[in-house]
Amino acid sequence: MEKLFKLKAHGTDVKTEIRAGITTFFAMAYIIFVNSTYLGMTGMNQTGVMVATCVSAAIGCLLTAFLANVPFCQAPGMGLNTFFTFTVCFGMGYTWEQALAIVFISGVLFLVVTISPLRKKIIEAIPASLKAAISAGIGFFIALIGMFNVNIVTAFGTGIAGAYTDMGTITKGAALLALIGLAITAILVAYRVKGAIFIGIIATTLIGLLMGETVIPESFTVAGVGEAFSEVAFKLDFSGALSAGGIVPFLTAIITFAICDCFDTVGTLLGTAGNAGMLDENGNFPGGDRALIADAIATCTGALLGTSTVTTFVESSTGIEDGGRTGLTSMTTGILFLLAVILAPVAGIVPSAATAPALIIVGVFMMKGVLKIDWSDMETAIPCFLTIAMMPFAYSIADGIGFGIISYTLIKLARGKAKEVPVLMYILSVLFILSYVLLATTAA
């Protein structure tokens, strides 16, 4: 392990890395069941999608472990799976086979960007203030995920604008268990107990047994996974995707998938690594380039296996805050995803109420980024605020980055400071605006 991951150089050990990997897996495991539910709405075999989810997540985690030696983990992304189902399939009229082909092409496009000099230039072009805002925005975003998962915060109508908290619901069920777990985890963190997040998850799971929220499954294995997997794997329809709706919807879907995957990953890497002190003196993340390559390859592989876009999970921050610093963390998570192919019900024993406190506490850690922002300078403060606010409000890291980049560029232009803006920031602003316009036009 020392030779593979250089543990001593990163100030960690095998025990800490494995614990961090288990913590991250617990925080991510919900995607096994949620992804198969969403993609199953398109007509895909749900058990087959579950297998594809586990295998593609394992491949992504192992690629990150051995290519980049960083503690970030991958799986089919929330948000991107809903875009796959409700926009690409239901809205644009593509079949799931055609949608998988579009995801594959977007992965290839992302891979081309990551292996080219453009990848480094994109990261360097983002101002330091926006990078700090990305970290804080992810903090709000990941805390909101935790609260939504257990109905501490719920939504009515058609969007997050209708979010609210019902004090009647937080005194019972999963919400109450999550609040108990939050109190336990917060106290452990305040006392600086090593492995506080991991201990909090286990303690909350055990308390959930007494409250009836932690359910022991009747069976610990899943039957017929091979046959189910064969119904979704390698079913991509490239010719149908190109001819089904015309070139504009086709390109819109590809560009949207690629931009979301790229900036979700960039935002997660920069924000989480920056908060954990893993960036170098120039604000760049050593190993980040190879992590992006691993992400792009995993997206292509996931599409071949039968799932929507694989991306770097923001929940990786739970394991990182629990001490994970190397690829051994992501390797551990990857192995657990492989085991979940057969033992998925075991992964389901840990309820969302046990992982929600971890996500909320990590949100607290991520807020340190706001200290690096000059809030007295409105040219900086407004783009940073929009970056932070739009991540939870739009439920998207990529949209938060997009709003930040566009507003930063426009304000600098209006102030006559065009030369202070890197050329690539103009290009990125145009790409984000174009993607929003095309998506709105296609949806209409």
Side-chain angles (χ1 to χ4, degrees):
M1 292 297 117
E2 173 61 34
K3 290 180 180 179
L4 278 173
F5 301 112
K6 300 180 176 60
L7 302 178
K8 291 180 181 177
H10 289 86
T12 186
D13 55 43
V14 172
K15 180 182 176 181
T16 300
E17 294 292 301
I18 292 176
R19 185 188 67 221
I22 297 172
T23 298
T24 298
F25 175 75
F26 285 159
M28 293 175 62
Y30 70 88
I31 197 63
I32 299 172
F33 312 102
V34 174
N35 199 52
S36 58
T37 299
Y38 276 123
L39 268 60
M41 296 178 185
T42 68
M44 300 180 75
N45 182 294
Q46 287 198 28
T47 301
V49 175
M50 185 202 72
V51 177
T53 300
C54 293
V55 175
S56 62
I59 290 172
C61 291
L62 294 174
L63 283 171
T64 304
F66 293 106
L67 278 182
N69 191 24
V70 294
F72 288 88
C73 301
Q74 300 184 42
M78 277 301 299
L80 289 165
N81 54 8
T82 57
F83 179 75
F84 179 100
T85 298
F86 296 108
T87 301
V88 177
C89 291
F90 294 167
M92 296 181 177
Y94 290 102
T95 65
W96 63 264
E97 295 92 341
Q98 294 164 352
L100 287 176
I102 290 172
V103 171
F104 179 84
I105 296 169
S106 73
V108 172
L109 177 60
F110 184 22
L111 181 59
V112 170
V113 171
T114 58
I115 61 177
S116 71
L118 187 59
R119 174 261 313 151
K120 184 178 180 180
K121 293 183 182 297
I122 289 175
I123 294 175
E124 291 178 347
I126 299 174
S129 58
L130 286 185
K131 289 177 181 176
I134 289 170
S135 176
I138 288 175
F140 277 117
F141 180 60
I142 195 170
L144 182 63
I145 291 173
M147 293 180 185
F148 260 129
N149 285 348
V150 293
N151 291 326
I152 291 176
V153 173
T154 56
F156 59 87
T158 57
I160 194 126
Y164 72 103
T165 298
D166 183 348
M167 292 302 171
T169 63
I170 66 173
T171 58
K172 57 187 176 182
L176 177 59
L177 176 59
L179 291 175
I180 293 171
L182 179 60
I184 293 170
T185 308
I187 292 169
L188 291 172
V189 169
Y191 272 103
R192 301 185 183 276
V193 174
K194 193 171 184 179
I197 293 176
F198 178 80
I199 295 170
I201 290 173
I202 299 301
T204 309
T205 300
L206 294 176
I207 294 171
L209 284 171
L210 302 176
M211 296 177 60
E213 293 297 323
T214 300
V215 179
I216 305 299
E218 295 181 2
S219 173
F220 290 97
T221 60
V222 178
V225 294
E227 182 180 351
F229 183 47
S230 67
E231 293 187 23
V232 300
F234 304 103
K235 301 294 185 182
L236 291 74
D237 181 5
F238 290 96
S239 59
L242 184 58
S243 60
I247 192 65
V248 173
F250 181 67
L251 291 177
T252 299
I254 290 173
I255 291 171
T256 302
F257 272 127
I259 287 178
C260 287
D261 192 8
C262 177
F263 285 96
D264 276 353
T265 301
V266 168
T268 299
L269 292 175
L270 290 178
T272 305
N275 181 70
M278 298 166 68
L279 300 182
D280 61 22
E281 62 277 6
N282 297 316
N284 298 316
F285 180 35
D289 52 348
R290 295 183 294 278
L292 287 170
I293 292 172
D295 189 296
I297 295 173
T299 291
C300 297
T301 305
L304 292 173
L305 297 178
T307 184
S308 52
T309 304
V310 176
T311 190
T312 302
F313 256 54
V314 70
E315 285 85 350
S316 300
S317 54
T318 57
I320 292 171
E321 290 297 340
D322 214 27
R325 288 296 181 271
T326 74
L328 180 53
T329 293
S330 46
M331 186 186 83
T332 301
T333 304
I335 291 172
L336 291 174
F337 268 114
L338 278 180
L339 293 175
V341 171
I342 301 297
L343 303 174
V346 176
I349 291 176
V350 177
S352 295
T355 56
L359 298 177
I360 296 167
I361 290 295
V362 169
V364 176
F365 292 139
M366 300 293 287
M367 291 310 297
K368 289 186 293 187
V370 298
L371 297 175
K372 301 176 182 178
I373 300 169
D374 183 1
W375 294 103
S376 64
D377 178 6
M378 289 298 107
E379 293 179 20
T380 298
I382 293 173
C384 287
F385 172 78
L386 289 175
T387 299
I388 294 169
M390 288 306 295
M391 285 188 190
F393 291 165
Y395 214 69
S396 167
I397 294 173
D399 284 337
I401 295 174
F403 270 73
I405 287 175
I406 293 169
S407 59
Y408 180 89
T409 304
L410 287 177
I411 291 173
K412 287 291 186 182
L413 270 174
R415 292 277 291 159
K417 299 180 180 180
K419 292 182 179 180
E420 294 183 9
V421 182
V423 173
L424 199 52
M425 286 286 283
Y426 291 109
I427 296 173
L428 292 174
S429 296
V430 171
L431 285 175
F432 271 110
I433 293 170
L434 182 62
S435 68
Y436 293 143
V437 171
L438 286 175
L439 193 58
T441 303
T442 304

